[in-house]
Amino acid sequence: MKNTFGNSFSVTLFGESHGQAIGAVLDGVKPGVELDLEKISALLKLRKGALAFSTKRNEKDEFKIVSGFFEGKTTGTPLCFVIENNDTKSADYSKMKNIARPSHADYTAFLKYHGFQDYRGGGHFSGRITAALTAAGAVAMQILETCGVKIGTHILSCGAIEDRHFENYESDFSALSKLDFPVLDEKAKEQIEARIAGARKNGDSVGGVLETAVTGFPASVGEPWFDTVEGVLAHILFSVPAVKGVSFGCGFDFGKMVGSEANDPFAIENGKVVTPTNNNGGVNGGITNGMPIVINCAVKPTPSIYKTQKTIDFEKNENTDLLIHGRHDPAIIHKASVVATAATAIALLDLLSGRFGTDLEIK
Amino acid sequence: MKNTFGNSFSVTLFGESHGQAIGAVLDGVKPGVELDLEKISALLKLRKGALAFSTKRNEKDEFKIVSGFFEGKTTGTPLCFVIENNDTKSADYSKMKNIARPSHADYTAFLKYHGFQDYRGGGHFSGRITAALTAAGAVAMQILETCGVKIGTHILSCGAIEDRHFENYESDFSALSKLDFPVLDEKAKEQIEARIAGARKNGDSVGGVLETAVTGFPASVGEPWFDTVEGVLAHILFSVPAVKGVSFGCGFDFGKMVGSEANDPFAIENGKVVTPTNNNGGVNGGITNGMPIVINCAVKPTPSIYKTQKTIDFEKNENTDLLIHGRHDPAIIHKASVVATAATAIALLDLLSGRFGTDLEIK
Amino acid sequence: MKNTFGNSFSVTLFGESHGQAIGAVLDGVKPGVELDLEKISALLKLRKGALAFSTKRNEKDEFKIVSGFFEGKTTGTPLCFVIENNDTKSADYSKMKNIARPSHADYTAFLKYHGFQDYRGGGHFSGRITAALTAAGAVAMQILETCGVKIGTHILSCGAIEDRHFENYESDFSALSKLDFPVLDEKAKEQIEARIAGARKNGDSVGGVLETAVTGFPASVGEPWFDTVEGVLAHILFSVPAVKGVSFGCGFDFGKMVGSEANDPFAIENGKVVTPTNNNGGVNGGITNGMPIVINCAVKPTPSIYKTQKTIDFEKNENTDLLIHGRHDPAIIHKASVVATAATAIALLDLLSGRFGTDLEIK
Amino acid sequence: MKNTFGNSFSVTLFGESHGQAIGAVLDGVKPGVELDLEKISALLKLRKGALAFSTKRNEKDEFKIVSGFFEGKTTGTPLCFVIENNDTKSADYSKMKNIARPSHADYTAFLKYHGFQDYRGGGHFSGRITAALTAAGAVAMQILETCGVKIGTHILSCGAIEDRHFENYESDFSALSKLDFPVLDEKAKEQIEARIAGARKNGDSVGGVLETAVTGFPASVGEPWFDTVEGVLAHILFSVPAVKGVSFGCGFDFGKMVGSEANDPFAIENGKVVTPTNNNGGVNGGITNGMPIVINCAVKPTPSIYKTQKTIDFEKNENTDLLIHGRHDPAIIHKASVVATAATAIALLDLLSGRFGTDLEIK
């Protein structure tokens, strides 16, 4: 289905970096949900990233909801966001249009679209499109909140620097919603910021690892085969730009563990079934068990760097050197963290709507 | 779509561990492909695992193709595998049916299916179902081979022991197709086997990390958003039992890298566009670039161990102790490696058929 | 999705007329539904048709449920039917395999599958496959019945002969479930039977029109665009062999009406919202309004007739004459009526499960 | 998938009659197709209908393509149309919002969306949305034309008045593209126009039957079960407002025919396989046979009439009388004919892209 994700709740994306507008159509929206537009704006603002590290493109991200929203509430029919593009300097791009920026999509886009793609600023591949994805996710989050579900993401590591894991989800999520640079531990935050500043100075960029957690999500959701909760979440999370790995619970650390340390024993505590450990990240056999869903995403370093790189001109079919000019970020993990939250919300709302119906009557 | 994966080429699974039969229906099969049934049998045999480490259930895995196969060739209409279940000792399971085995799906299945699930031997959640998935993947592999695509998987690490990466794909794949324990480096193989033997002795189990590679897959396949090659592959790979993480290229190591080491410069070598490094694992912007696709899967330790574990009786709603009897494996990574190959083949054939049409006329 | 229909509840078909077996995989099945296997057998028996008019192939239609059914109840995991093929005389078909039977699928199958299709007895296009579809529909009907939904179909017309419309749904459905030739009016039944006997004598065949009605189906189901109740039902009903038209309520008669006779006024009767007329067949704006859903299907005459017909040999690419030998029916409307009921059940259960969730908790 | 239709080529609709904008997102668009925007405008103008019979709402239908279109050509990434709403008088609707207009969707929308739907002017159910559907279809038609496929629709009958059938597709299609009232026979045109004028005078409305034909569509497209060409086309055609029946070839007339008149013999004429008759409307066994695809749609009379009707106030839950004020049409068949053409184009492009791949490399 290409640019559409989801069955019961779905999101369709459109737009290019330097086209007229970008946007998203949300379908299967629960009717009657009051939307807090300020919260959507706030998430979009976080997505643009902390100013010190982020590009100077003055994206206004002023969104319009052109359908599916009436008298302050969702109608249940498709909700369409439109975000106009401004401040686009297309002249920068035309001469570079056949030069493949390493680890970018220029070359693969050329092959797929036979050269007809809008090449300006990455076109439909641009991180700009994540503004639409984030707006969609912000709505999904507000619908999920009516069911008691909350989501937060922070930078778990960058280089060798590690943030602490979530401790108190409630207060950590609340803190993160206000942080323009989502690191829980103050000292780790400073170190990561310093590492990024160093990379910038060096004309280079950094990657990192994100940790997303979801609380309040009902048990019994997901499928044993194919539409596992892990599979559905990973499917969308690889659309967060630069994400190259997705794992749940202990993830790749499981490879070093033995069963007796990896297993999560069940227990009844205060009349509720829990697993005192949560190595499986809230999912057993593809189905949620009622514990927090815990996800890690690996984010590669921003491919745009201020260094001369070897590459090709795919029109002339010859090798060439490339020094990328213009604005670009030494890090996008902090932006990716917002998009990961949004993407997680979209996938989980889809799963929830499929399980309990479009009115979300959860028992 | 639950137990169905794929749009252009799809696989539907059915069956339970101790039911009458398991199987798979394949649709969107290219017509006229001669199938080598011996190769399917060989893959199914590998899936059962090296005898020394694997359970004693004498699964015959004798498959029947009951449709879609005529005069030795695929017809193009649905191809259905049926694998009868034999050697099932149901008596073992009835008394344990309400005891949640830690990190297994007993409890989540109970919640989802309200207690009506076939609980015997894990029912529809059983690793047994992967025989059907493997048979489906074996067909997908043979169709892909008519397009020049090949796939292989080995155990990259188990605990601290590491296998070498793929060096020569052609010969490594060929070697792996004969190995009942898929480790490329002879010494690493011995060490991993020893580690598993140690875990068995200790009543424990081990996890590991798999590396899958795909060669010959055409460039220009995949989508920028949602149906990225990474997203589609990860979607299915989380159905390989015990997989809790999926990554591409450098995966989680990207978190420690800087852009100048992470980027893959393009180059024209012998008239062909390549990236001398392949940190991105063959995918840029969600679309294949013609380089080998390289995937890592994290496999958690087998949850069934010979140790008393704390858990609950979810019918009585009370805490209890559990010692799992019966046959179970100290490791399933070697089995998972076969299923990962099969799952990869299914997802890639779906992407390829969507891109080039059901006759697979690749330019 | 080709041979799979449905999103929330789905059916996947497989098999060919003269292959080893045919069958269906049902997914999204509500768990815990007690299935009356006798009722499934009874519907399959009706599908084979009144003996006097139907082919002599001694189809046993003995079905096995090989998965998803445990201790007399659905488990919620995929339920697979397998029906073995017996009494297949393949020798009849090999010499005719390149002769296009007029209005059959031989030629289009040849083009689509490049000659690799199983041509024996129509292969995957055979009416035989409707046994699997009917079995699937029989399960869907039983699940729908737990929600108070009932379905019945009769032959509304054949040539100029017209059956009466449904009068009392309850008793008419009950009568139809026992009739091997589904005509409500006794006299019309005799006339239609006489017409068919006449066609048979003449080596010819007849068509007809079916009327299907559904009672007890909840209001508020369906979508304004694309997944309208009419669109989803029509989508599947064109898979009932020989159906070439599908309409709702007054259907094609609307073309002759004016608004003041066509409109269905609303009224509150006994505290319930109804439309005293039901010209719209239970659907307004694509969404059910709580009135019975009323569907008409046009069934073309059986293409197999005992007359010499002009046609082509598509292998030799030349014109030729054809006299079809072997068993075939002068009418299939009575069989089609059973399949129409089954198909209706499948589509409606899918819509219902999407609306209210897979546990079918209807408010 | 609700407001999204299609798998390989898809269209997602959004918008309400009196909201800010309506629109459509097209995905799976073949890259590099030069679009003639004038032709899109022309089709939108036809959709608004002949002025004499159509409502006075001054819809400008000025569309913007905000994405997926670059330097005059499709890019291959999602193409989004936005059509702003102007001239909306919302005041008209607020006091009637709980009165169910007979045969409209007011009541079913209320049930489905729990009263949160935008009720103004029919909201998301409004015929206004067909402007977006028509724009999407106009693009699909232009892409299909690059493959030699053409589509046309005319009013086949209205009341007892009958237009002639298509004779010369080429010249008939050309004539229809210029007619604001699509009737091929001049005399029939006058009679139908007179009938509509009579209905208007009487405060009433009329229905009719449409005939759509498609030429140049490749053989071998479609599936034997479920995704039959008829099923897929019918699925979308029931989204053309007021359509209550869809048939192919002889359609409901088949019910009166015998096999020897209904069958289409094959013949080789001028080296090409044809059926001299085309009773099956170009489809055998769900798959195109290369003959023109011929479709009939039954259109019910416009539900809005200038007569007092009995109905209910569903908020107060009481019976009431209703006289609909404001602008409405005595006929919409001529508008529906444009939308039927557009919908047909969308479904056929989806089928074609699934069969031959997204580059539409048709052999």
Side-chain angles (χ1 to χ4, degrees):
Chain A
M1 282 302 300
K2 306 179 175 77
N3 292 274
T4 297
F5 186 90
N7 294 295
S8 301
F9 171 77
S10 68
V11 172
T12 299
L13 294 178
F14 61 86
E16 298 94 34
S17 177
H18 287 56
Q20 207 168 327
I22 62 165
V25 184
L26 286 63
D27 202 3
V29 177
K30 179 179 169 156
V33 177
E34 211 163 325
L35 292 184
D36 182 336
L37 303 186
E38 291 301 317
K39 275 191 179 174
I40 301 174
S41 290
L43 206 69
L44 285 172
K45 207 177 151 201
L46 281 182
R47 186 204 67 92
K48 285 200 291 183
L51 273 192
F53 307 125
S54 301
T55 61
K56 277 134 210 147
R57 175 166 174 176
N58 187 14
E59 293 171 349
K60 281 236 184 66
D61 282 357
E62 276 167 11
F63 64 86
K64 286 184 296 182
I65 303 184
V66 304
S67 70
F69 186 61
F70 181 51
E71 298 179 340
K73 298 202 182 77
T74 58
T75 59
T77 57
L79 190 156
C80 179
F81 279 100
V82 175
I83 306 175
E84 307 275 341
N85 284 327
N86 308 302
D87 187 29
T88 54
K89 299 181 200 141
S90 299
D92 299 342
Y93 299 97
S94 59
K95 50 191 164 182
M96 302 299 285
K97 70 175 190 166
N98 299 316
I99 312 297
R101 288 171 298 156
S103 297
H104 271 288
D106 307 321
Y107 173 62
T108 54
F110 170 78
L111 293 177
K112 181 175 172 70
Y113 302 112
H114 306 293
F116 296 107
Q117 72 280 7
D118 181 349
Y119 53 79
R120 298 168 299 165
H124 186 56
F125 292 78
S126 166
R128 171 81 180 137
I129 312 307
T130 61
L133 188 61
T134 300
V139 170
M141 282 174 79
Q142 293 192 35
I143 299 173
L144 285 169
E145 268 173 38
T146 70
C147 307
V149 181
K150 292 196 173 172
I151 308 175
T153 302
H154 69 114
I155 301 171
L156 184 64
S157 69
C158 175
I161 311 156
E162 296 195 8
D163 193 14
R164 68 165 171 84
H165 284 277
F166 285 110
E167 279 160 14
N168 182 312
Y169 292 104
E170 195 81 13
S171 59
D172 284 347
F173 288 177
S174 169
L176 285 170
S177 71
K178 283 154 214 149
L179 280 178
D180 60 2
F181 198 77
V183 181
L184 294 168
D185 180 81
E186 188 56 38
K187 200 169 159 195
K189 184 165 184 276
E190 281 166 27
Q191 290 176 320
I192 294 175
E193 289 177 342
R195 185 163 186 266
I196 295 172
R200 146 166 294 173
K201 215 160 135 186
N202 198 22
D204 217 324
S205 65
V206 305
V209 174
L210 302 172
E211 183 180 52
T212 299
V214 184
T215 59
F217 196 79
S220 88
V221 178
E223 302 292 334
W225 299 99
F226 301 141
D227 285 352
T228 61
V229 169
E230 295 108 324
V232 173
L233 278 167
H235 193 148
I236 197 170
L237 284 164
F238 280 105
S239 289
V240 178
V243 165
K244 296 293 280 190
V246 175
S247 69
F248 296 85
C250 294
F252 279 82
D253 290 341
F254 274 127
K256 302 205 163 126
M257 294 164 84
V258 292
S260 53
E261 32 178 11
N263 283 356
D264 294 312
F266 287 96
I268 296 168
E269 288 181 1
N270 307 317
K272 233 190 122 204
V273 174
V274 296
T275 62
T277 55
N278 188 18
N279 297 329
N280 281 282
V283 187
N284 291 142
I287 299 169
T288 52
N289 64 13
M291 295 298 294
I293 302 172
V294 183
I295 312 161
N296 281 172
C297 290
V299 180
K300 72 177 182 183
T302 327
S304 293
I305 52 174
Y306 287 98
K307 288 178 186 292
T308 300
Q309 299 181 82
K310 294 197 173 306
T311 189
I312 57 165
D313 180 318
F314 43 76
E315 188 67 39
K316 295 190 187 154
N317 207 32
E318 62 185 31
N319 290 312
T320 185
D321 281 348
L322 169 71
L323 178 59
I324 306 175
H325 294 280
R327 53 200 180 192
H328 41 259
D329 297 346
I332 53 164
I333 16 166
H334 53 307
K335 296 178 169 193
S337 101
V338 179
V339 187
T341 295
T344 298
I346 290 166
L348 290 179
L349 183 52
D350 181 35
L351 285 166
L352 207 65
S353 305
R355 175 75 179 88
F356 294 107
T358 43
D359 288 347
L360 292 175
E361 300 281 343
I362 302 164
K363 281 186 301 186
Chain B
M1 282 303 301
K2 305 178 176 76
N3 292 274
T4 298
F5 186 89
N7 294 296
S8 301
F9 170 76
S10 67
V11 173
T12 300
L13 294 178
F14 60 86
E16 298 94 33
S17 177
H18 288 56
Q20 208 169 322
I22 63 166
V25 184
L26 286 63
D27 203 2
V29 177
K30 178 178 170 157
V33 178
E34 211 163 325
L35 293 184
D36 182 336
L37 304 186
E38 290 303 315
K39 274 192 179 174
I40 302 175
S41 290
L43 205 70
L44 285 172
K45 206 177 153 203
L46 281 183
R47 187 206 65 92
K48 285 200 292 183
L51 272 192
F53 307 125
S54 301
T55 61
K56 277 135 209 145
R57 177 169 174 174
N58 186 11
E59 293 170 349
K60 282 235 186 65
D61 282 358
E62 277 167 12
F63 63 87
K64 285 184 299 186
I65 303 183
V66 303
S67 69
F69 186 61
F70 180 52
E71 299 179 339
K73 298 202 184 76
T74 57
T75 60
T77 58
L79 189 157
C80 179
F81 280 101
V82 174
I83 306 174
E84 307 274 341
N85 284 326
N86 310 301
D87 186 29
T88 56
K89 300 181 199 143
S90 299
D92 300 343
Y93 298 97
S94 60
K95 52 192 166 184
M96 302 300 286
K97 69 174 192 168
N98 299 317
I99 312 297
R101 288 171 299 156
S103 296
H104 270 287
D106 307 322
Y107 173 62
T108 54
F110 170 79
L111 293 177
K112 181 175 173 70
Y113 302 112
H114 307 294
F116 296 107
Q117 73 281 8
D118 181 348
Y119 52 79
R120 298 168 300 166
H124 185 56
F125 292 77
S126 167
R128 171 79 179 140
I129 312 307
T130 60
L133 188 60
T134 300
V139 170
M141 283 172 77
Q142 294 192 33
I143 299 174
L144 285 170
E145 269 173 39
T146 69
C147 307
V149 182
K150 294 197 171 174
I151 309 175
T153 303
H154 69 115
I155 301 172
L156 184 64
S157 69
C158 176
I161 311 155
E162 295 195 10
D163 193 14
R164 68 166 171 84
H165 284 278
F166 284 110
E167 280 161 16
N168 181 312
Y169 291 106
E170 195 81 10
S171 59
D172 285 347
F173 288 177
S174 168
L176 285 170
S177 71
K178 284 153 213 151
L179 279 179
D180 60 1
F181 198 77
V183 181
L184 293 168
D185 180 81
E186 188 56 38
K187 197 168 163 197
K189 185 166 184 273
E190 279 166 30
Q191 290 175 321
I192 293 175
E193 288 177 342
R195 186 165 185 263
I196 296 172
R200 148 167 290 173
K201 211 159 140 188
N202 198 21
D204 217 325
S205 65
V206 305
V209 174
L210 301 173
E211 183 179 50
T212 299
V214 184
T215 58
F217 196 79
S220 88
V221 179
E223 302 292 333
W225 299 98
F226 302 142
D227 286 351
T228 60
V229 169
E230 295 107 324
V232 172
L233 278 167
H235 193 149
I236 196 169
L237 283 165
F238 280 107
S239 288
V240 178
V243 165
K244 296 293 281 188
V246 175
S247 68
F248 296 84
C250 293
F252 279 83
D253 290 342
F254 275 127
K256 301 203 165 128
M257 294 163 84
V258 293
S260 54
E261 32 178 9
N263 282 356
D264 294 312
F266 288 95
I268 296 168
E269 290 181 0
N270 306 318
K272 232 190 123 207
V273 174
V274 297
T275 63
T277 54
N278 188 17
N279 297 329
N280 281 282
V283 188
N284 291 142
I287 299 170
T288 51
N289 64 12
M291 295 297 295
I293 302 172
V294 183
I295 314 160
N296 281 172
C297 289
V299 180
K300 72 178 181 182
T302 328
S304 293
I305 51 175
Y306 288 99
K307 290 178 186 292
T308 300
Q309 298 181 84
K310 293 199 175 304
T311 190
I312 58 164
D313 179 317
F314 44 74
E315 186 69 39
K316 294 188 186 153
N317 208 29
E318 62 186 30
N319 291 313
T320 185
D321 282 348
L322 168 71
L323 179 58
I324 305 175
H325 294 280
R327 52 197 181 194
H328 40 261
D329 297 348
I332 53 164
I333 13 166
H334 52 307
K335 297 179 168 193
S337 100
V338 178
V339 186
T341 295
T344 298
I346 291 166
L348 290 180
L349 182 52
D350 181 34
L351 285 166
L352 205 64
S353 305
R355 176 75 178 88
F356 294 106
T358 44
D359 289 346
L360 291 175
E361 300 282 343
I362 302 164
K363 281 185 299 185
Chain C
M1 282 300 301
K2 306 180 176 75
N3 291 274
T4 297
F5 186 89
N7 293 296
S8 300
F9 171 76
S10 68
V11 172
T12 299
L13 294 178
F14 60 86
E16 299 94 33
S17 178
H18 287 56
Q20 207 170 325
I22 62 166
V25 184
L26 287 63
D27 202 3
V29 176
K30 179 179 168 156
V33 177
E34 210 163 327
L35 292 183
D36 183 336
L37 303 186
E38 291 301 316
K39 274 191 178 173
I40 301 174
S41 290
L43 205 71
L44 284 172
K45 207 177 152 201
L46 280 181
R47 186 205 67 93
K48 285 200 292 183
L51 272 191
F53 306 125
S54 299
T55 60
K56 276 133 210 148
R57 174 166 174 177
N58 187 14
E59 293 171 350
K60 281 233 184 67
D61 281 358
E62 276 167 12
F63 64 85
K64 285 184 297 185
I65 304 184
V66 304
S67 69
F69 186 61
F70 180 52
E71 298 180 340
K73 298 202 184 75
T74 56
T75 59
T77 58
L79 189 156
C80 179
F81 279 102
V82 174
I83 306 175
E84 307 274 342
N85 285 326
N86 309 302
D87 187 29
T88 55
K89 299 181 200 143
S90 299
D92 298 343
Y93 298 95
S94 59
K95 52 190 164 183
M96 302 298 285
K97 70 175 191 166
N98 298 318
I99 313 297
R101 289 171 298 156
S103 296
H104 270 287
D106 307 321
Y107 173 62
T108 53
F110 170 78
L111 293 177
K112 182 175 171 69
Y113 303 112
H114 307 293
F116 297 106
Q117 72 281 5
D118 181 348
Y119 52 78
R120 298 168 299 165
H124 186 56
F125 292 78
S126 167
R128 171 79 179 141
I129 312 307
T130 61
L133 188 60
T134 301
V139 169
M141 284 173 78
Q142 293 192 35
I143 299 173
L144 285 169
E145 269 173 38
T146 68
C147 308
V149 181
K150 292 196 172 172
I151 309 175
T153 303
H154 69 114
I155 301 172
L156 184 64
S157 71
C158 176
I161 311 155
E162 295 196 9
D163 192 14
R164 69 165 171 83
H165 284 277
F166 284 110
E167 279 160 14
N168 182 313
Y169 292 105
E170 195 81 12
S171 59
D172 284 348
F173 288 177
S174 168
L176 285 170
S177 71
K178 284 154 213 150
L179 280 177
D180 60 2
F181 198 77
V183 182
L184 293 167
D185 179 81
E186 188 56 40
K187 201 171 159 194
K189 185 166 184 274
E190 282 166 26
Q191 290 176 321
I192 293 174
E193 289 177 342
R195 184 164 186 265
I196 296 171
R200 147 166 293 175
K201 215 161 134 186
N202 198 21
D204 217 323
S205 65
V206 305
V209 174
L210 301 173
E211 183 180 51
T212 300
V214 184
T215 59
F217 195 80
S220 88
V221 179
E223 301 293 333
W225 299 99
F226 301 141
D227 286 351
T228 62
V229 170
E230 295 108 323
V232 173
L233 278 167
H235 193 148
I236 196 169
L237 283 164
F238 280 105
S239 290
V240 178
V243 165
K244 294 294 280 190
V246 174
S247 69
F248 296 84
C250 294
F252 279 82
D253 290 342
F254 274 126
K256 302 204 163 128
M257 293 164 84
V258 292
S260 54
E261 31 178 11
N263 281 357
D264 295 312
F266 288 95
I268 296 168
E269 288 182 1
N270 307 317
K272 232 190 122 207
V273 174
V274 297
T275 63
T277 55
N278 188 18
N279 296 330
N280 281 283
V283 187
N284 291 143
I287 299 169
T288 52
N289 63 14
M291 295 298 294
I293 302 171
V294 183
I295 314 160
N296 281 173
C297 290
V299 180
K300 72 176 181 183
T302 329
S304 293
I305 53 175
Y306 287 98
K307 290 178 186 292
T308 300
Q309 298 181 82
K310 295 197 174 306
T311 190
I312 58 164
D313 180 317
F314 43 75
E315 186 68 39
K316 294 188 188 154
N317 207 30
E318 63 185 29
N319 291 311
T320 186
D321 281 348
L322 169 71
L323 179 57
I324 306 176
H325 295 281
R327 52 199 181 192
H328 40 260
D329 297 348
I332 52 163
I333 15 167
H334 52 306
K335 297 178 168 194
S337 102
V338 179
V339 187
T341 295
T344 299
I346 290 165
L348 290 179
L349 183 52
D350 181 35
L351 285 166
L352 207 64
S353 305
R355 176 75 178 88
F356 295 108
T358 43
D359 288 347
L360 292 174
E361 301 281 343
I362 303 163
K363 279 185 304 186
Chain D
M1 282 303 301
K2 305 179 176 76
N3 291 275
T4 297
F5 185 88
N7 293 297
S8 300
F9 170 77
S10 68
V11 173
T12 300
L13 295 178
F14 60 86
E16 298 94 34
S17 177
H18 287 57
Q20 208 169 323
I22 63 166
V25 184
L26 286 63
D27 202 2
V29 177
K30 178 179 168 155
V33 178
E34 210 164 326
L35 293 183
D36 182 336
L37 303 186
E38 290 302 316
K39 274 191 180 175
I40 301 174
S41 289
L43 204 72
L44 285 172
K45 207 177 153 201
L46 281 182
R47 187 205 66 93
K48 284 199 292 182
L51 272 192
F53 307 126
S54 300
T55 61
K56 277 134 212 144
R57 174 169 175 175
N58 187 12
E59 292 170 350
K60 283 234 185 67
D61 283 358
E62 276 167 12
F63 63 87
K64 285 183 298 184
I65 304 184
V66 304
S67 69
F69 186 62
F70 180 53
E71 299 179 340
K73 299 202 182 76
T74 58
T75 60
T77 58
L79 189 157
C80 179
F81 279 102
V82 174
I83 306 174
E84 306 275 340
N85 285 325
N86 307 301
D87 186 30
T88 55
K89 300 182 200 143
S90 299
D92 299 343
Y93 297 97
S94 59
K95 50 192 165 183
M96 302 299 286
K97 69 174 193 168
N98 299 317
I99 312 297
R101 288 171 300 157
S103 297
H104 271 287
D106 307 321
Y107 173 61
T108 53
F110 170 78
L111 292 177
K112 181 175 174 69
Y113 302 111
H114 307 294
F116 296 107
Q117 72 280 7
D118 181 348
Y119 52 79
R120 298 168 300 166
H124 185 57
F125 292 78
S126 167
R128 170 80 180 139
I129 312 307
T130 61
L133 188 60
T134 300
V139 170
M141 284 173 77
Q142 293 192 34
I143 298 174
L144 285 169
E145 269 172 39
T146 68
C147 308
V149 182
K150 293 197 171 173
I151 309 175
T153 304
H154 69 114
I155 301 172
L156 184 65
S157 70
C158 176
I161 310 155
E162 296 195 7
D163 193 13
R164 69 165 171 83
H165 284 277
F166 284 109
E167 280 160 15
N168 181 312
Y169 291 106
E170 195 82 9
S171 59
D172 285 348
F173 287 177
S174 168
L176 286 171
S177 71
K178 284 152 213 152
L179 281 178
D180 61 1
F181 198 76
V183 182
L184 293 168
D185 179 82
E186 188 57 37
K187 199 170 162 196
K189 183 165 185 275
E190 281 166 27
Q191 290 175 322
I192 293 174
E193 289 178 342
R195 185 163 185 266
I196 295 171
R200 147 168 292 176
K201 212 159 139 189
N202 200 20
D204 217 325
S205 65
V206 304
V209 173
L210 302 173
E211 183 180 51
T212 299
V214 184
T215 59
F217 195 79
S220 88
V221 179
E223 302 293 332
W225 299 99
F226 301 141
D227 286 351
T228 61
V229 169
E230 296 108 322
V232 172
L233 278 166
H235 194 148
I236 196 169
L237 283 164
F238 280 106
S239 289
V240 178
V243 165
K244 295 294 280 189
V246 175
S247 68
F248 296 84
C250 293
F252 279 83
D253 290 341
F254 274 126
K256 301 206 164 124
M257 293 164 85
V258 293
S260 54
E261 32 178 10
N263 282 357
D264 294 312
F266 288 95
I268 296 168
E269 289 181 0
N270 307 320
K272 232 189 121 206
V273 174
V274 297
T275 63
T277 54
N278 188 16
N279 297 329
N280 281 283
V283 188
N284 291 142
I287 299 169
T288 51
N289 64 13
M291 295 298 294
I293 302 171
V294 183
I295 313 161
N296 281 172
C297 289
V299 180
K300 72 176 181 182
T302 328
S304 292
I305 53 176
Y306 288 98
K307 290 179 185 292
T308 301
Q309 299 181 82
K310 293 197 175 307
T311 190
I312 58 164
D313 179 319
F314 44 73
E315 186 68 39
K316 295 187 186 155
N317 207 29
E318 64 186 28
N319 290 312
T320 186
D321 281 348
L322 169 70
L323 180 57
I324 306 175
H325 294 281
R327 51 197 182 194
H328 39 262
D329 297 346
I332 53 164
I333 15 166
H334 52 308
K335 296 178 169 194
S337 100
V338 179
V339 187
T341 295
T344 298
I346 291 166
L348 289 180
L349 183 52
D350 181 35
L351 285 166
L352 206 64
S353 305
R355 176 75 178 88
F356 295 107
T358 43
D359 288 346
L360 292 174
E361 300 282 343
I362 301 163
K363 282 184 300 185

